[in-house]
């Protein structure tokens, strides 16, 4: 896995781990930002989550909150 990261980033293993960690943090922030948009339906959010989920590594769950006011 580390070798694949080094090949992907075209650098040594240590630098690849650092770049991968930074990328993971930044992409997670952006995914959360997209999934919190009000203009997407729950179905669209679930489809996005399914597409971006990496089983056993990065799992995304969508929960819908419903408020009833009287």
């Amino acid at each position: 896995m580390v070798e694949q990261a080094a090949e992907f980033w075209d650098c040594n293993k240590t630098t690849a781990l650092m770049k991968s960690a930074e990328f993971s943090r930044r992409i997670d922030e952006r995914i959360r930002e997209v999934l919190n948009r009000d203009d997407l339906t729950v179905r669209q959010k679930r489809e996005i989550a399914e597409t971006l989920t990496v089983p056993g590594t990065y799992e995304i769950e969508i929960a819908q909150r419903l408020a009833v006011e009287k």
Side-chain angles (χ1 to χ4, degrees), residues 22-38:
E22 176 65 13
F23 176 79
S24 296
R25 183 189 62 78
R26 293 177 70 187
I27 197 72
D28 180 70
E29 289 174 359
R30 285 161 176 79
I31 289 170
R32 290 174 187 272
E33 185 179 314
V34 168
L35 293 176
N36 281 318
R37 287 178 29 187
D38 292 333

Side-chain angles (χ1 to χ4, degrees), residues 6-25:
E7 186 177 318
F8 176 81
W9 294 112
D10 192 28
C11 58
N12 66 46
K13 294 177 189 176
T14 301
T15 301
L17 284 173
M18 292 171 35
K19 286 185 175 193
S20 295
E22 176 65 13
F23 176 79
S24 296
R25 183 189 62 78

Side-chain angles (χ1 to χ4, degrees), residues 44-68:
Q44 289 171 317
K45 291 177 182 183
R46 285 193 178 126
E47 289 173 355
I48 292 167
E50 286 176 20
T51 299
L52 298 176
T53 290
V54 178
T57 302
Y58 187 77
E59 311 234 351
I60 304 169
E61 292 183 19
I62 301 298
Q64 181 181 9
R65 294 179 189 214
L66 180 62
V68 178

